[in-house]
Amino acid sequence: MSTQKTPSASLDVGKILDGKNLLVVGGTGFLGKTWLSMLLTYYPQIGQIYMIVRPKKGQDSEARFWTDVAPSGVFEPLRKRYPGKEYEQFL
């Protein structure tokens, strides 16, 4: 006799995230950038993502985002999907 339960409905992450706003903490590290890139690549229908970035090394938060996060190689699929200025506008 099996005690495992079968789910009654599948989890549709895209539907759950559609139009939702998210707050991201810890997105400047390796795992954070990878997670953010995958999230934006697979679920571009997310409403807004607000990312907390601490100032560091004489840079304010926004400058750090554009110099440490946005140019990261993990965002290459997004740069291909949104070439040139479209990438910056998407972010």
Side-chain angles (χ1 to χ4, degrees), residues 11-20 45:
L11 179 65
D12 187 351
V13 177
K15 187 176 178 181
I16 292 169
L17 294 176
D18 188 18
K20 298 291 192 280
Q45 71 272 26

Side-chain angles (χ1 to χ4, degrees), residues 48-68:
Q48 295 286 323
I49 296 179
Y50 299 94
M51 186 171 170
I52 296 176
V53 178
R54 291 181 298 147
K56 192 174 186 182
K57 299 176 189 167
Q59 291 182 316
D60 64 19
S61 298
E62 185 172 356
R64 185 172 176 214
F65 174 82
W66 289 110
T67 59
D68 293 351

Side-chain angles (χ1 to χ4, degrees), residues 8-9 13 18 24 26 28 38 45 47-48 50-51 58 64 67-70 72 75-76 79 81-82 84-86 88:
S8 58
V13 177
D18 188 18
V24 176
T28 59
M38 292 182 75
Q45 71 272 26
Q48 295 286 323
Y50 299 94
M51 186 171 170
R64 185 172 176 214
T67 59
D68 293 351
V69 178
S72 176
F75 292 100
E76 192 58 33
R79 279 193 282 279
R81 185 183 296 168
Y82 304 102
K85 291 287 183 183
E86 285 183 60
E88 290 179 15

